[in-house]
């Protein structure tokens, strides 16, 4: 029965326990590919035959991949589904195979040591028992909603029956993951064992089940929750409330959460055989929406970005065993927390004790919040914070592998810090600057070893924003680039390679977008109309609110740098500068476009409304014009950046704008949206704005050429 060259091996030990081991060849993680599902079906047939002879007493499912049980389905196969009928059939087949697993007549145990997502979680739901390791990477989730689809192998049906409606909906509708400790409290997992002796823990758990000593733990459920979930009136109220919350969160742009909610509500209490086709129909319907196609494309782009450096270059990378962060401001403290959260020692350095204390406090607060959300256990919070060492000197820098500089955004200061650091670090250590706009090459020119200098531009807030821009100069070695690029992946980020041009990619594209806000306000548009127009498009926040978050001083500094680099096209209006001169900095001093009190936003500042009204000239533009002007200048600047080779492809623009600015994912990215809008439409509108308003709108040559030729930036076939 044993096979070592297939995705699933089947072994029977001396205790008559069968072990199904998943180990997909030529893959770092296990995926529920069509091949794996076919072989699982065959293995289940073998198990049924052996069980019938009385030669088996239990079946254990485990992974042969260290640190991963199943990473979910093969998203490439999801993208390849060509029709609703094909999607429905694929879902039905997966459901049938997992029902076959569920019907085995001996106890089935899922032994999960590492990540268990999507179809992997649906698979373990079909088992009788589940044991998980206490490894920090052991997490459970149903992230299908993030791909615009719903769980399709029985997850919408089995999960609510196992852990309760509210907990199941929380997992299904958010796509968030559960740690092993939270999974056992929810009732998803029966037991948690030490990852250091997990094989022994599994053996003991199986023996306990076979001896009849195992007693299922009853999940803690409050009286309120029992009334909500177990009475007709309670369920009606529960689903009504969740539906209202889901609509508010999705703003109507994402259909999958509501469809998943409908499946759960419809199938509760229904025989499984009747419920499964309802779930399969929902999956088939969602898999062929434009939203799902956009989200699947972005997921595949994200995976491709992590492989964008050639394999031989990545093979040269060194493991980063110790790091240092220079500058203990909000960004420095956040980067230090991110590094420690991924179990890498980090030295946080500043020249001021108060600043250092504040940076350490900020890192501690972020870790504590992660613990409160269940990202880490309480014990892990303390262990991870212990990995951060605060210092005012370079005494602990001798053995660091990577230094990340996050000091004030002034070139002379950064150059001085670089010179000081080079005197204390080893010959192979990489120096990465977190600059958001300054030239990495200019900084490197002051270095004794410019070949070790690269850019690593993290986005704020660091713990939430998934993008890192990686910048190399002509002097940067491939080894230094590979070290920085690989490190970004190791700390959970998606790296994109960006040329060393002012503003790199994301900030450069944001510059004309935010500049346009000033011009619009100067023409009489009010703050609410501007922000509402962009929220209606799908942006996560309006541009006026974004400027408040950035800070008027920072926005003015970046705008002036972009204007100096690119001239009249990126010349800002004087509105933000004038407001900054009046003492307005945005949220940081609670005086921006919006009023704040004790950190809470209180609506548009009434005093500011009067100031803007007095400055206004001309007729206030409509909401439709606001959208076009803000979005079309984004597309135009992306065309300029592509022509200059700032990034290698339009796909990179789309990925970076979604991950770095929150450009609405359901639209597929900036240039995918531009293609569906029509490049000729955009170019013509820009030309009209240029004639009526000013030359900053003049269409870029690349945009104009594609429009004239009927071309597109992306493949939208």
């Amino acid at each position: 029965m044993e096979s070592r060259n297939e995705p699933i091996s089947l072994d029977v030990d001396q205790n008559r326990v069968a072990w199904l081991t998943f180990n997909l060849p030529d893959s770092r993680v296990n995926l529920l590919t069509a091949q794996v599902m076919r072989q699982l079906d065959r293995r289940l047939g073998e198990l049924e035959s052996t069980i019938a002879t009385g030669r088996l007493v239990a079946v254990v499912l485990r992974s042969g991949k260290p640190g991963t049980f199943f990473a979910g389905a093969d998203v490439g196969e999801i993208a390849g589904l060509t029709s609703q009928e094909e999607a429905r059939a694929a879902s039905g087949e997966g459901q049938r195979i997992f029902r076959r697993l569920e019907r085995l007549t001996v106890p089935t145990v899922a032994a999960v040591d590492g990540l268990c997502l999507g179809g992997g979680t649906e698979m373990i739901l079909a088992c009788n028992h589940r044991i998980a390791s206490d490894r920090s990477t052991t997490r459970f989730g149903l992230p299908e909603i993030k791909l615009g689809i719903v769980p399709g192998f029985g997850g919408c049906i089995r999960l609510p029956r196992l852990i309760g409606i509210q907990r199941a909906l929380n997992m299904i509708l958010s796509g968030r993951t559960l740690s092993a400790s939270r999974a056992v409290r929810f009732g998803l997992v029966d037991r948690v064992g030490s990852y250091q002796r997990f094989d022994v823990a599994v053996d003991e758990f199986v023996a306990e089940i076979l001896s009849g000593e195992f007693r299922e733990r009853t999940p803690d459920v409050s009286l309120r929750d029992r009334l909500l979930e177990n009475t007709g009136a309670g369920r009606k109220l529960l689903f009504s409330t969740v539906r209202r919350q889901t609509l508010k969160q999705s703003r109507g742009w994402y259909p999958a959460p509501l469809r998943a909610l409908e499946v759960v509500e419809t199938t509760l209490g229904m025989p499984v055989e009747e419920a499964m086709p309802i779930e399969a129909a929902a999956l088939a319907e969602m898999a062929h929406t434009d939203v799902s196609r956009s989200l699947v494309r972005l997921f595949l782009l994200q995976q491709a970005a992590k492989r964008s450096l050639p394999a031989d270059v990545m093979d040269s990378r060194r493991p980063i065993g110790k790091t240092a962060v220079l500058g203990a401001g909000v960004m420095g403290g956040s980067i230090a927390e991110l590094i420690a959260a991924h179990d890498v020692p980090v030295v946080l350095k500043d020249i001021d004790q108060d600043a250092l204390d504040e940076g350490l406090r900020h890192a501690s607060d972020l870790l504590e919040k992660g613990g409160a959300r269940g990202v880490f256990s309480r014990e892990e919070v303390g262990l991870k914070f212990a990995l951060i060492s605060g210092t005012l000197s370079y005494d602990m820098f001798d053995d660091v592998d990577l230094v990340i500089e996050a000091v004030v955004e002034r070139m002379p200061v950064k150059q001085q810090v670089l010179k000081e650091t080079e005197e204390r670090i080893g010959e192979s250590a990489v120096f990465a600057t977190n600059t958001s706009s300054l030239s990495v090459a200019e900084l490197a020119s002051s270095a004794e070893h410019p070949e070790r200098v690269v850019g690593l531009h993290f986005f704020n807030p660091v713990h939430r924003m998934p993008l890192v821009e990686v910048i190399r100069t002509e002097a940067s070695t491939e080894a230094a680039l590979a070290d920085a690029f690989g490190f970004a992946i190791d700390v959970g980020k998606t790296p994109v390679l960006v040329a060393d041009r002012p503003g790199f990619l994301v900030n450069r594209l944001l510059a004309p977008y935010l500049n346009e806000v000033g011009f619009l306000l100067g023409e009489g548009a009010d703050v609410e109309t501007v922000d509402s127009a962009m929220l209606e498009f799908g942006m996560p926040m309006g541009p006026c609110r974004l400027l408040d978050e950035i800070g008027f001083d920072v926005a003015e500094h970046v705008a002036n740098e972009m204007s100096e680099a690119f001239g009249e096209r990126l010349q800002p209006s004087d509105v933000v500068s004038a407001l900054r001169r009046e003492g307005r900095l945005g949220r940081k001093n609670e005086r921006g476009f919006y009023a704040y009190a004790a950190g809470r936003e209180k609506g548009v500042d009434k005093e500011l409304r009067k100031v803007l009204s007095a400055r206004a000239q001309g007729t206030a533009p409509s909401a439709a014009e606001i959208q076009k002007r803000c979005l079309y200048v984004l597309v135009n600047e992306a065309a300029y950046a592509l022509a200059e080779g700032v990034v290698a492809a339009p796909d990179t623009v789309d990925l970076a704008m979604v991950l770095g600015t929150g450009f609405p994912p359901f639209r597929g990215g900036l240039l995918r949206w531009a293609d569906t809008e029509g490049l000729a439409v955009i170019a013509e509108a820009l030309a009209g704005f240029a004639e009526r308003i000013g030359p900053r709108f003049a269409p870029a040559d690349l945009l104009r050429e594609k429009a004239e030729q009927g071309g597109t930036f992306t493949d939208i076939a």
Side-chain angles (χ1 to χ4, degrees):
M1 297 175 72
E2 184 176 344
S3 175
R4 299 298 180 194
N5 298 316
E6 295 183 291
I8 310 172
S9 62
L10 175 56
D11 306 278
V12 178
D13 66 20
Q14 60 187 5
N15 297 316
R16 295 186 296 157
V17 175
W19 297 80
L20 277 180
T21 305
F22 296 86
N23 198 355
L24 186 63
D26 304 319
S27 177
R28 186 176 57 85
V29 296
N30 284 322
L31 297 172
L32 276 175
T33 63
Q35 176 195 12
V36 170
M37 293 299 287
R38 284 193 298 269
Q39 192 179 25
L40 176 59
D41 197 24
R42 291 196 296 272
R43 292 299 192 199
L44 290 172
E46 295 174 34
L47 288 170
E48 289 166 347
S49 299
T50 309
I51 291 170
T53 68
R55 286 183 290 156
L56 284 183
V57 295
V59 177
V60 180
L61 283 67
R62 63 182 175 180
S63 168
K65 304 287 186 186
T68 305
F69 184 73
F70 264 96
D74 185 335
V75 179
E77 291 186 356
I78 295 174
L81 296 172
T82 59
S83 67
Q84 285 199 30
E85 291 72 21
E86 189 177 356
R88 189 194 301 261
S91 176
E93 181 67 358
Q95 292 171 343
R96 180 190 66 78
I97 293 169
F98 285 178
R99 279 289 279 160
R100 195 174 188 183
L101 170 63
E102 190 173 44
R103 287 169 170 156
L104 291 180
T105 55
V106 297
T108 51
V109 179
V112 181
D113 179 23
L115 200 62
C116 180
L117 299 178
T121 295
E122 292 181 285
M123 180 191 294
I124 70 171
L125 289 172
C127 295
N128 303 126
H129 305 283
R130 290 153 291 279
I131 180 172
S133 80
D134 62 0
R135 190 187 298 271
S136 61
T137 54
T138 299
R139 302 192 69 83
F140 301 85
L142 292 171
E144 287 86 352
I145 219 79
K146 295 182 178 181
L147 296 175
I149 58 176
V150 303
F153 288 174
C156 292
I157 296 154
R158 292 191 180 95
L159 189 61
R161 302 176 190 209
L162 179 67
I163 69 174
I165 301 169
Q166 293 177 86
R167 288 170 169 174
L169 289 177
N170 181 272
M171 288 184 67
I172 293 169
L173 301 184
S174 72
R176 290 191 291 266
T177 59
L178 294 180
S179 64
S181 59
R182 183 162 289 192
V184 78
R185 291 199 301 273
F186 274 26
L188 176 59
V189 168
D190 300 305
R191 183 74 53 83
V192 175
S194 168
Y195 78 89
Q196 294 170 319
R197 55 187 299 275
F198 192 56
D199 288 345
V200 174
V202 173
D203 285 338
E204 292 174 348
F205 184 53
V206 172
E208 191 176 328
I209 292 167
L210 293 176
S211 68
E213 296 176 4
F214 172 71
R215 295 292 179 267
E216 289 191 13
R217 179 180 179 274
T218 303
D220 298 328
V221 181
S222 67
L223 174 61
R224 173 186 174 276
D225 288 346
R226 286 200 296 272
L227 290 172
L228 277 174
E229 300 196 12
N230 299 328
T231 66
R235 285 187 179 182
K236 184 176 181 180
L237 175 61
L238 169 59
F239 282 105
S240 174
T241 301
V242 174
R243 184 171 289 104
R244 189 165 56 251
Q245 292 171 341
T246 302
L247 269 171
K248 182 179 179 181
Q249 291 168 357
S250 69
R251 291 153 61 185
W253 294 119
Y254 297 90
L258 289 172
R259 195 70 174 88
L261 180 63
E262 181 184 345
V263 172
V264 172
E265 184 176 18
T266 302
T267 59
L268 273 175
M270 189 179 284
V272 172
E273 289 79 5
E274 296 178 24
M276 290 293 183
I278 294 173
E279 183 188 69
L283 171 70
E285 179 187 337
M286 292 297 99
H288 281 81
T289 60
D290 289 339
V291 171
S292 178
R293 281 190 281 267
S294 292
L295 296 178
V296 166
R297 171 178 176 263
L298 288 168
F299 176 88
L300 295 174
L301 290 181
Q302 197 167 0
Q303 299 308 302
K306 297 175 183 179
R307 301 188 298 269
S308 55
L309 278 184
D312 59 335
V313 173
M314 288 302 291
D315 286 345
S316 70
R317 67 166 296 209
R318 301 169 304 139
I320 302 298
K322 182 179 177 182
T323 61
V325 176
L326 302 173
V330 170
M331 182 61 77
S334 298
I335 295 172
E337 184 273 338
L338 174 74
I339 295 170
H342 286 81
D343 301 318
V344 178
V346 54
V347 179
L348 180 61
K349 181 191 179 301
D350 206 286
I351 59 174
D352 179 81
Q353 185 65 54
D354 289 342
L356 180 60
D357 291 343
E358 183 59 32
L360 290 169
R361 189 158 41 247
H362 182 61
S364 176
D365 288 346
L366 289 173
L367 287 169
E368 289 287 346
K369 290 176 182 176
R373 296 195 312 272
V375 177
F376 321 117
S377 69
R378 300 306 305 169
E379 181 184 24
E380 285 178 312
V381 170
L383 292 173
K384 290 176 186 296
F385 185 66
L387 292 171
I388 306 176
S389 304
T391 182
L392 299 177
S393 72
Y394 289 96
D395 290 346
M396 293 185 281
F397 278 56
D398 293 350
D399 57 345
V400 299
D401 300 308
L402 173 68
V403 177
I404 299 175
E405 169 272 306
V407 302
V408 65
E409 196 77 345
R410 297 195 186 100
M411 182 62 75
V413 176
K414 290 182 182 291
Q415 290 176 327
Q416 180 60 35
V417 167
L418 171 55
K419 290 177 182 178
E420 293 173 358
T421 305
E422 278 195 307
E423 295 175 0
R424 302 304 299 268
I425 58 178
E427 293 183 358
S428 60
V430 174
F431 185 96
T433 175
N434 183 55
T435 181
S436 61
S437 58
L438 299 178
S439 168
V440 180
E442 183 180 348
L443 175 62
S445 68
S446 65
E448 184 177 345
H449 294 285
E451 71 278 5
R452 298 189 302 188
V453 178
V454 297
L456 272 182
H457 178 213
F458 292 84
F459 289 79
N460 195 34
V462 174
H463 65 292
R464 290 182 182 170
M465 301 299 285
L467 182 71
V468 172
E469 291 179 323
V470 181
I471 303 98
R472 75 180 299 179
T473 71
E474 291 185 0
S476 304
T477 63
E478 289 188 342
L481 183 67
D483 286 353
F485 191 91
F487 178 75
I489 296 173
D490 290 346
V491 294
K493 301 302 181 185
T494 298
V496 295
L497 294 171
V498 182
D500 186 21
R501 294 282 292 154
F504 309 127
L505 178 67
V506 172
N507 282 350
R508 173 172 171 180
L509 268 59
L510 276 179
Y513 172 76
L514 295 178
N515 282 350
E516 201 57 35
V517 173
F519 289 113
L520 290 164
L521 295 173
E523 293 171 27
D526 58 69
V527 171
E528 294 101 328
T529 303
V530 172
D531 277 1
S532 294
M534 300 318 300
L535 286 171
E536 185 180 330
F537 177 77
M539 290 294 195
M541 68 172 62
C544 296
R545 194 180 300 277
L546 177 58
L547 282 164
D548 270 8
E549 295 291 334
I550 293 170
F552 289 4
D553 52 343
V554 174
E556 181 185 31
H557 174 72
V558 173
N560 289 336
E561 285 189 343
M562 294 297 98
S563 176
E564 183 177 343
F566 299 107
E568 185 178 14
R569 187 175 78 250
L570 267 64
Q571 181 70 38
S573 81
D574 65 351
V575 169
V576 172
S577 296
L579 295 176
R580 196 269 308 159
R581 289 193 296 271
E582 292 178 5
R584 292 179 181 273
L585 297 178
R587 182 181 279 275
K588 69 179 69 175
N589 75 340
E590 299 196 334
R591 293 188 67 214
F593 290 114
Y594 292 84
Y596 302 88
R600 291 179 175 272
E601 187 257 297
K602 298 294 183 180
V604 174
D605 190 304
K606 295 178 181 178
E607 179 187 343
L608 178 111
R609 193 190 303 276
K610 296 176 183 177
V611 172
L612 292 176
S613 179
R615 294 175 57 91
Q617 298 178 358
T619 304
S622 66
E625 180 171 323
I626 289 169
Q627 277 193 0
K628 289 179 180 179
R629 284 169 58 173
C630 288
L631 293 167
Y632 290 1
V633 293
L634 267 175
V635 174
N636 206 35
E637 196 59 37
Y640 280 111
L642 281 171
E644 294 171 20
V646 173
V647 291
D651 283 350
T652 308
V653 173
D654 282 352
L655 182 65
M657 289 301 291
V658 169
L659 300 186
T661 73
F663 189 90
F666 69 87
R667 296 193 182 276
L670 175 65
L671 296 181
R672 172 58 62 92
W673 168 78
D675 288 339
T676 57
E677 181 84 347
L679 300 188
V681 170
I682 294 174
E684 183 179 357
L686 285 169
F689 289 144
E691 184 176 347
R692 177 166 65 89
I693 301 172
R696 68 178 183 275
F697 289 103
D701 289 344
L702 179 61
L703 175 61
R704 184 172 41 77
E705 290 167 6
K706 285 187 175 293
E708 291 173 353
Q709 297 167 5
T712 58
F713 284 110
T714 67
D715 180 8
I716 58 173

